[in-house]
């Protein structure tokens, strides 16, 4: 299963931690060997495996991980999904703007343009609210997260639309 997941990373651009593979209704564990599975005669000619995109692991790592490096890495995994993660990706990334660690906040700000459509007003509003909060605290210009927020706005803005 690990080899299949690695192949799917290249083929579908779905990060390893976001893949959940099923054979019928059975979730395949990473250490399972496909050749060892008990297959019916109907299954033996063609093996049909279903891949679900799941944010369960990266959500757990991003929101409850004790190590900031692990939390930031989880957000980078989510950004690799791009738009495939849908609304749950946006929700996960935007909640991490409030993380206590600056590198995690930067990772979240770098991910937001990847998980939303260009010009997404809701995402732009969330980033502007974050910048406004930083400025009210006197934390801007030199702060890495402030710079990342400005960069995110630039990347999210429609062509010809000036970021505020």
């Amino acid at each position: 299963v690990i080899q299949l997941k690695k192949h799917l990373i290249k083929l579908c651009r779905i990060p390893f931690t976001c893949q959940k593979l099923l054979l019928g209704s059975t979730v395949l564990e990473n250490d399972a060997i496909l050749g060892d599975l008990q297959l019916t005669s109907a299954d033996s000619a063609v093996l049909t495996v279903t891949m679900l995109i799941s944010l369960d692991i990266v959500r757990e790592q991003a929101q409850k991980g004790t190590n900031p490096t692990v939390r930031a890495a989880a957000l980078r995994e989510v950004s690799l999904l791009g738009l495939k993660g849908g609304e749950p990706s946006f929700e996960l990334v935007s909640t991490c703007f409030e993380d206590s660690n600056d590198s995690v906040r930067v990772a979240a700000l770098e991910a937001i343009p990847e998980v939303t459509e260009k010009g997404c007003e809701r995402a732009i509003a969330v980033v502007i609210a974050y910048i406004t909060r930083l400025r009210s605290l006197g934390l801007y210009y030199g702060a890495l997260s402030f710079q990342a927020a400005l960069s995110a706005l630039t990347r999210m803005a429609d062509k010809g639309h000036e970021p505020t």
Side-chain angles (χ1 to χ4, degrees):
V1 172
I2 290 173
Q3 292 303 318
L4 178 57
K5 282 187 169 188
K6 287 180 180 178
H7 180 68
L8 290 170
I9 292 170
K10 294 175 188 169
L11 184 67
C12 303
R13 299 192 186 280
I14 306 295
F16 189 92
T17 53
C18 297
Q19 295 178 30
K20 190 174 282 193
L21 301 182
L22 297 118
L23 181 61
S25 60
T26 305
V27 176
L28 299 174
E29 298 299 326
N30 289 336
D31 59 355
I33 298 171
L34 293 177
D36 292 347
L37 298 174
Q38 300 294 323
L39 303 174
T40 65
S41 59
D43 290 333
S44 62
V46 175
L47 183 64
T48 302
V49 176
T50 303
M51 179 180 61
L52 300 177
I53 296 174
S54 172
L55 297 179
D56 294 347
I57 293 171
V58 291
R59 182 181 297 112
E60 181 78 18
Q61 291 172 339
Q63 293 180 332
K64 298 179 182 166
T66 57
N67 184 331
T69 304
V70 171
R71 294 196 307 272
L75 291 167
R76 285 189 288 279
E77 290 278 290
V78 173
S79 76
L80 292 174
L81 277 175
L83 299 175
K84 295 175 196 154
E87 181 68 18
S89 287
F90 172 78
E91 292 297 329
L92 172 60
V93 168
S94 61
T95 60
C96 291
F97 288 3
E98 303 304 319
D99 194 277
S100 62
N101 184 277
D102 200 43
S103 66
V104 176
R105 292 189 303 272
V106 168
L109 289 158
E110 289 172 347
I112 199 85
E114 303 302 324
V115 301
T116 57
E117 294 278 354
K118 196 166 192 65
C120 174
E121 291 180 14
R122 186 168 163 223
I124 291 169
V126 168
V127 175
I128 289 172
Y130 178 76
I131 290 171
T132 302
R133 188 171 71 72
L134 284 180
R135 292 189 73 186
S136 72
L137 297 171
L139 303 171
Y140 50 95
Y141 299 120
L144 287 175
S145 59
F146 184 81
Q147 298 302 321
L150 292 178
S151 176
L153 279 179
T154 302
R155 292 172 50 213
M156 289 188 299
D158 283 327
K159 272 188 175 174
H161 177 58
E162 293 294 323
T164 55

